[in-house]
Amino acid sequence: MPHKIGFVVVSSSGHEDGFSARELMVHAPTVSGWRSPRFCQFPQEIVLQMVERCRVRKLQLLAHQCLIPSKVEFYVGQSLPERLAPRPAERFRRLGYVSLCDNEKTGCKARELKSVYVDAVGQFLKLVFHQNHVNKYNAYNQVALVAINIIGDPADVSDESDVASREKLIDHYLGHSTEDPALEGTCTVKSDYISPLDDLAFDMYQDPEVAQIIRKLDERKREAVRKERYDYAKQLKQAIADLQKVGERLGRFEVEKRCAVEKEDYDLAKEKKQQMERYRSRVYEQLRLHDLMDAELMRRPLDLPLQPLLHSVSPHHQQLVPSLPPPGERGAGSHLADPFLQEKPSAPAPDASPQCPAVDQPPPTADPPPKTQVAGAYSRLWSHREGALLALYEQLSETPVGTPREDLKNTLRASVFLIRRAIRDIVTPVFQASLKLLKMIITQYIPKHKLSKLETAHCVERTVPLLLARTGDTSARLRSTASNFIQEMALCKEVRSLQIIPAYLVQPLKAGSSAHLAISQMALLARLLRDLGTEGAGFTVDSVMKFSARALEHRVPEVREAAVRLILGLYAQHRAAVLEHLPPADSATRKNVLYKTIFEGFAKIDGRPTDAEIRAQKRVATEEAEKRKEEEMTALQGQAAAPRELQARARARALQEKESEAAKAQDPDTPGGKAAPPSAPEIPDSRCLDNLCIFCGERSESFTEEGLDLHYWKHCLMLTRCDHCRQVVEICSLTEHLLMECDKKASFGKCHRCSEAVVKEELPRHIKAKDCNPAKPEKLANRCPLCHENFTPGEEAWKAHLMGPAGCTMNLRRTHVLHKAPVPPPGFSSGLSSSSSESHVQLTVWPARPPQQGPARPVPWELSDRRVRC
């Protein structure tokens, strides 16, 4: 049967100080193993020599948590190669290789145990280590190996078993069976069976002394089975199972003691040592009471130092175990009615099944209340688990004041251990009972017995990570219960001053975390940030913003939205500090929808318009401007009706006069007996009035119907808009408009001194003051309602006054004309025609009306050298 093979280290490529390859010869929880030199060259090699030539069946490697090689090759040889021998590589035969994971998923906190099944014969084993995996903990590019285990059987035994197997197979096919048919149903051990006690995990996590005892008991169990003493074998089986838990616990205590020594905490190391000795003594005493072991193995731990694997642990190479006591010497009560690891309580607890405590439960030095609840807490029935927690609640509540402080601490820590287990329970009542017990310990038990804050910190630090994990539960009820309890605990005065919970909440979310967990953590952080603030409560703007920045990259949309809300809430209180952790608010950043939302939220908090609001305002302003323009055009079309009617009448009058003149020229019976002279002045036809303003005489191609309306409304020097009804009227008739036509005509009266329209409320004062310029009779002078001056009478005088260079100074429309045309002589009206590509115009003057006397034809007055800009 394959078993563990001992070996020694023959050679290695090198090692770091304190981590020699000879460390691989010892299997124990506290071994450090081999470690390559810093910045070494690859590959690295280690050669092992087994205690005898054997057939290797299984190889086991325990890798380091962070100094991990990418792969390890295996070679087996019959003899050790000499360095000077030719082609020494031929002495070894390659078996293959195994690849090791980079351990990124566990954060380099776990060790990989790799098992490889082989079938090779030899006495030497060579391991070749290749380039290391890169991680932040491996600063010197090293590789390491914590332990190696070789399982096989001697080569001569394996050869004999192979021959026997082949002969048995031949006899089976030939029909020659030499075995007794009555033995066909007998259970036999398989030839390739490997005992769990030979597994590497057994030695690496077991106390070495307990491991030896377990192996002795296992031998006794197999001997009892051979002698058909099944009751005794059953008792040994139970004892082995319990001792395995004892060995694991003692192994863990040994590791803790070693860590305390490295930290130079010798008080803790001494306490751990004494704790191990007391626990080991109780276990050995129970073994002695049940007569399971003889006195030879009941030695102190110092009597059995760690020994290298220089010998094989095969049953064929061990001495015979002491003979079993005869059946008659063992009484009926000597069997293990109860497990020897659990002392009998004074009052039996519910569901006191014969089970031992968990491996990681610290053995109490006294008899605290949790000791009687362990069995119930580990029951398969959830009602018993809940009952054990509630019973523990009552016992802790009734603990009298004055109990020794050490007992109080042990009770508290044991209770926290049971609470941790119950928090992970999937049954809601058990989970709620654990929260009830934890709350009582923090708010009542610790203050009542005046324990230090260290005990409160221990309770919080041991339970908060588990509670946070439960906030990601699939049950909405459990998520809510866990979140509410964490919030309540964080606000508790005993916990708030410790500032422990905020530190857990601002830890960055993992990329692969569940949606429920991430959402719950975001919501819990927002609530506690609102309740605690960022001043002296554990939260800082820097930590919260770093957490939120990572949350903005989470794959769940709800988490990203919660992060946005968290940042906006923090910005309302700490504007400058928040902006330091965000990219600049430029157009490139705003392309990200999340950052765009964040910056728009900042604008709302500051009272500034957002980008969307600015665009909306511009759109509204544009629409209002267009609407005003349309209203102006509508009003223009309505108010410019009078000028258009005047222009239409002028065009009709011109056409009528032309037809009349033409008729007179063709009729021989005209008065005077003669036809009109051929050189009589031509009256402009209707086409001459196109693109022409009949008031100012300006002509332009842009003077379409709409263009003329705009010209009348804003630019014509002869027109103005009434300030009271906004109608376009001629300046020369503004006074008559105010007194006779305006919508506000009732508000005006006429001054008999200046003949102008004055507001009735001011008319008495105006008449009394006599400050106005007296008007002359209409036949003697025109009266300007803008500048209140009298000037030469006549229609052409109005044009000279309103359009001339020295004309009316109160006509505001004159400012848009850079150069003014000279005033035409009285008796003429002007027309406008385009003559230049430089937007200049040329004025051609025709008679305003046919001459009254004389046949002479006036010559058109060409102002070719006088130009006016449009």
Side-chain angles (χ1 to χ4, degrees):
M1 182 176 68
H3 57 272
K4 182 188 292 285
I5 302 295
F7 61 86
V8 294
V9 176
V10 177
S11 64
S12 66
S13 300
H15 64 270
E16 186 179 359
D17 292 342
F19 298 92
S20 171
R22 295 187 177 275
E23 291 286 331
L24 300 174
M25 297 165 57
V26 178
H27 292 172
T30 57
V31 298
S32 301
W34 167 80
R35 185 176 298 181
S36 70
R38 297 182 178 182
F39 301 112
C40 63
Q41 295 182 353
F42 291 96
Q44 292 283 304
E45 295 183 358
I46 295 178
V47 178
L48 309 177
Q49 180 179 1
M50 292 171 276
V51 296
E52 58 184 337
R53 180 175 177 270
C54 62
R55 167 167 270 171
V56 180
R57 302 287 190 178
K58 182 179 181 180
L59 296 174
Q60 289 183 300
L61 300 178
L62 182 60
H64 194 270
Q65 63 269 20
C66 56
L67 310 181
I68 310 169
S70 58
K71 70 175 182 177
V72 180
E73 290 184 281
F74 300 98
Y75 294 82
V76 67
Q78 301 291 343
S79 61
L80 183 66
E82 299 179 2
R83 295 180 179 273
L84 301 178
R87 305 175 69 181
E90 294 182 357
R91 301 291 184 93
F92 282 96
R93 180 169 63 91
R94 186 175 184 271
L95 301 180
Y97 73 94
V98 293
S99 299
L100 300 177
C101 68
D102 54 12
N103 216 5
E104 289 184 356
K105 293 184 178 180
T106 65
C108 295
K109 295 181 180 179
R111 294 174 176 177
E112 182 181 8
L113 177 60
K114 183 75 78 172
S115 297
V116 183
Y117 291 89
V118 297
D119 188 2
V121 177
Q123 192 174 0
F124 292 90
L125 181 67
K126 182 169 70 172
L127 308 177
V128 179
F129 301 86
H130 289 265
Q131 184 70 42
N132 62 288
H133 285 296
V134 178
N135 58 68
K136 62 180 180 181
Y137 303 103
N138 191 356
Y140 305 108
N141 294 334
Q142 296 173 276
V143 294
L145 183 63
V146 179
I148 181 172
N149 190 30
I150 304 174
I151 298 178
D153 42 26
D156 53 351
V157 176
S158 60
D159 294 341
E160 292 176 1
S161 62
D162 290 344
V163 172
S165 299
R166 287 194 295 269
E167 292 178 354
K168 187 182 298 184
L169 185 62
I170 294 173
D171 291 339
H172 173 74
Y173 280 102
L174 294 178
H176 302 151
S177 178
T178 60
E179 297 182 356
D180 188 353
L183 300 178
E184 291 182 358
T186 304
C187 178
T188 59
V189 178
K190 297 181 179 180
S191 60
D192 57 350
Y193 171 75
I194 299 176
S195 173
L197 303 182
D198 290 334
D199 194 272
L200 181 60
F202 177 79
D203 283 325
M204 295 305 297
Y205 297 102
Q206 284 284 336
D207 177 72
E209 182 179 348
V210 176
Q212 293 183 20
I213 296 175
I214 290 175
R215 287 192 172 95
K216 293 293 184 181
L217 292 179
D218 185 65
E219 287 293 326
R220 288 196 170 195
K221 183 190 69 172
R222 286 189 279 128
E223 183 181 355
V225 171
R226 286 194 298 268
K227 295 184 178 182
E228 299 184 354
R229 298 177 57 187
Y230 300 118
D231 291 336
Y232 184 45
K234 180 179 179 182
Q235 296 167 11
L236 290 171
K237 177 183 177 182
Q238 180 64 41
I240 290 173
D242 292 338
L243 275 175
Q244 286 181 345
K245 297 177 181 179
V246 171
E248 291 177 358
R249 193 174 306 124
L250 288 173
R252 182 165 301 184
F253 292 161
E254 183 66 28
V255 173
E256 293 176 357
K257 184 182 72 174
R258 180 71 63 86
C259 292
V261 172
E262 292 177 356
K263 296 179 181 178
E264 297 185 355
D265 188 353
Y266 301 117
D267 293 335
L268 179 59
K270 180 180 178 182
E271 180 183 352
K272 290 294 180 182
K273 177 183 177 182
Q274 295 174 352
Q275 193 176 21
M276 292 173 61
E277 291 179 351
R278 288 193 298 266
Y279 187 51
R280 194 188 302 270
S281 298
R282 285 201 302 270
V283 172
Y284 288 174
E285 183 64 25
Q286 293 187 19
L287 284 173
R288 187 180 297 108
L289 289 176
H290 295 293
D291 199 18
L292 291 176
M293 290 295 292
D294 50 23
E296 180 182 355
L297 294 179
M298 298 301 177
R299 293 180 290 174
R300 303 304 300 161
L302 297 178
D303 298 336
L304 291 174
L306 296 180
Q307 298 293 334
L309 300 176
L310 298 180
H311 63 278
S312 173
V313 295
S314 170
H316 302 281
H317 293 78
Q318 293 181 350
Q319 297 179 356
L320 295 177
V321 298
S323 61
L324 296 174
E329 297 180 3
R330 302 183 58 85
S334 62
H335 63 280
L336 284 177
D338 295 319
F340 60 85
L341 300 183
Q342 178 177 338
E343 297 180 2
K344 295 183 179 179
S346 57
D351 192 35
S353 57
Q355 297 179 0
C356 64
V359 173
D360 56 349
Q361 177 182 355
T365 58
D367 292 332
K371 189 172 183 64
T372 61
Q373 309 303 327
V374 171
Y378 280 81
S379 175
R380 293 184 178 180
L381 300 177
W382 69 265
S383 58
H384 290 179
R385 299 196 298 272
E386 180 189 17
L389 294 174
L390 297 178
L392 180 58
Y393 179 93
E394 297 297 332
Q395 292 184 22
L396 293 180
S397 300
E398 298 172 358
T399 303
V401 178
T403 305
R405 182 173 296 272
E406 192 65 26
D407 294 344
L408 293 173
K409 291 182 179 180
N410 291 336
T411 300
L412 181 143
R413 293 177 181 268
S415 300
V416 170
F417 173 80
L418 296 180
I419 291 173
R420 282 170 51 84
R421 179 179 177 85
I423 288 176
R424 293 190 291 261
D425 204 300
I426 62 175
V427 180
T428 302
V430 179
F431 174 68
Q432 293 176 341
S434 68
L435 300 184
K436 180 180 179 181
L437 179 58
L438 178 60
K439 181 179 179 181
M440 187 273 295
I441 291 176
I442 294 176
T443 60
Q444 299 179 23
Y445 183 82
I446 294 178
K448 175 183 177 181
H449 300 286
K450 297 181 180 180
L451 298 178
S452 65
K453 290 185 177 181
L454 293 177
E455 305 305 324
T456 305
H458 173 78
C459 295
V460 176
E461 290 177 346
R462 297 291 290 170
T463 55
V464 166
L466 300 179
L467 290 172
L468 284 175
R470 293 311 299 269
T471 60
D473 199 277
T474 56
S475 171
R477 181 180 179 184
L478 286 178
R479 292 199 304 270
S480 177
T481 302
S483 297
N484 294 336
F485 184 82
I486 294 175
Q487 183 179 7
E488 182 182 0
M489 184 165 57
L491 298 178
C492 176
K493 63 179 181 179
E494 291 82 5
V495 180
R496 182 171 183 172
S497 61
L498 299 176
Q499 302 182 6
I500 296 177
I501 295 180
Y504 280 101
L505 291 179
V506 295
Q507 291 181 359
L509 295 172
K510 296 181 179 179
S513 60
S514 66
H516 291 315
L517 179 61
I519 294 173
S520 299
Q521 186 171 345
M522 292 294 300
L524 183 58
L525 175 59
R527 296 202 302 267
L528 283 180
L529 190 61
R530 182 183 62 248
D531 296 336
L532 298 178
T534 56
E535 300 296 334
F539 289 119
T540 62
V541 178
D542 183 68
S543 62
V544 176
M545 284 302 301
K546 287 181 179 178
F547 172 84
S548 302
R550 290 288 300 273
L552 290 174
E553 302 173 359
H554 201 272
R555 59 184 176 83
V556 180
E558 291 82 356
V559 177
R560 299 195 296 269
E561 295 172 0
V564 172
R565 293 193 296 268
L566 193 63
I567 294 174
L568 294 179
L570 200 62
Y571 177 80
Q573 301 176 359
H574 309 279
R575 286 172 167 78
V578 170
L579 292 176
E580 291 179 357
H581 293 82
L582 295 176
D586 51 17
S587 58
T589 305
R590 290 178 182 269
K591 292 181 180 179
N592 187 307
V593 178
L594 291 176
Y595 284 112
K596 179 181 178 182
T597 305
I598 290 173
F599 289 123
E600 289 184 352
F602 290 169
K604 291 182 179 179
I605 294 174
D606 296 337
R608 297 181 286 105
T610 63
D611 293 345
E613 292 175 346
I614 293 175
R615 290 193 298 269
Q617 291 175 359
K618 290 182 178 179
R619 183 169 59 254
V620 171
T622 303
E623 293 176 354
E624 291 179 353
E626 293 178 354
K627 184 177 181 181
R628 286 196 302 269
K629 183 176 180 181
E630 292 178 358
E631 292 176 353
E632 288 181 359
M633 293 301 297
T634 303
L636 174 63
Q637 292 175 358
Q639 296 175 7
R644 285 201 301 269
E645 291 177 358
L646 293 175
Q647 183 163 357
R649 287 198 298 269
R651 182 175 298 179
R653 185 173 64 251
L655 181 59
Q656 184 179 2
E657 290 178 356
K658 180 179 180 180
E659 291 177 351
S660 177
E661 292 296 330
K664 289 181 181 181
Q666 295 177 0
D667 189 2
D669 297 331
T670 55
K674 292 183 181 179
S679 60
E682 298 180 358
I683 303 300
D685 58 9
S686 60
R687 291 192 300 268
C688 295
L689 298 178
D690 293 339
N691 308 116
L692 175 69
C693 174
I694 63 171
F695 301 103
C696 65
E698 182 178 355
R699 183 185 296 275
S700 174
E701 295 295 335
S702 64
F703 283 179
T704 60
E705 184 175 356
E706 294 182 357
L708 278 174
D709 289 342
L710 182 62
H711 173 73
Y712 297 153
W713 180 255
K714 291 186 176 181
H715 305 300
C716 184
L717 302 181
M718 300 296 294
L719 304 178
T720 187
R721 276 182 288 178
C722 175
D723 295 334
H724 304 281
C725 66
R726 310 301 296 170
Q727 184 176 350
V728 178
V729 295
E730 291 184 89
I731 298 176
C732 62
S733 60
L734 179 60
T735 301
E736 287 76 7
H737 168 77
L738 293 175
L739 296 175
M740 305 297 294
E741 300 175 355
C742 183
D743 296 338
K744 301 293 181 65
K745 61 184 179 180
S747 301
F748 292 92
K750 184 174 182 181
C751 175
H752 298 286
R753 178 183 174 85
C754 61
S755 301
E756 293 187 20
V758 182
V759 179
K760 287 184 178 182
E761 296 177 355
E762 300 180 0
L763 185 60
R765 183 188 61 78
H766 176 81
I767 295 176
K768 185 177 180 180
K770 297 182 180 180
D771 293 335
C772 58
N773 184 19
K776 295 181 180 181
E778 185 177 355
K779 294 183 179 180
L780 298 179
N782 292 328
R783 178 75 177 191
C784 178
L786 301 181
C787 63
H788 315 295
E789 296 291 339
N790 300 316
F791 57 90
T792 306
E795 179 180 355
E796 300 303 327
W798 275 106
K799 293 184 177 180
H801 176 71
L802 295 175
M803 300 175 59
C808 180
T809 58
M810 301 302 295
N811 188 1
L812 300 181
R813 293 192 178 186
R814 296 170 64 240
T815 58
H816 84 286
V817 179
L818 299 179
H819 301 282
K820 300 296 181 182
V823 179
F828 290 88
S829 63
S830 61
L832 187 68
S833 61
S834 62
S835 62
S836 173
S837 61
E838 298 180 358
S839 299
H840 290 83
V841 295
Q842 178 178 353
L843 294 176
T844 304
V845 182
W846 291 277
R849 57 184 60 85
Q852 297 288 336
Q853 299 176 354
R857 183 183 64 183
V859 179
W861 182 23
E862 292 285 347
L863 299 180
S864 58
D865 57 345
R866 302 292 182 95
R867 299 182 181 275
V868 181
R869 290 186 181 273
C870 292

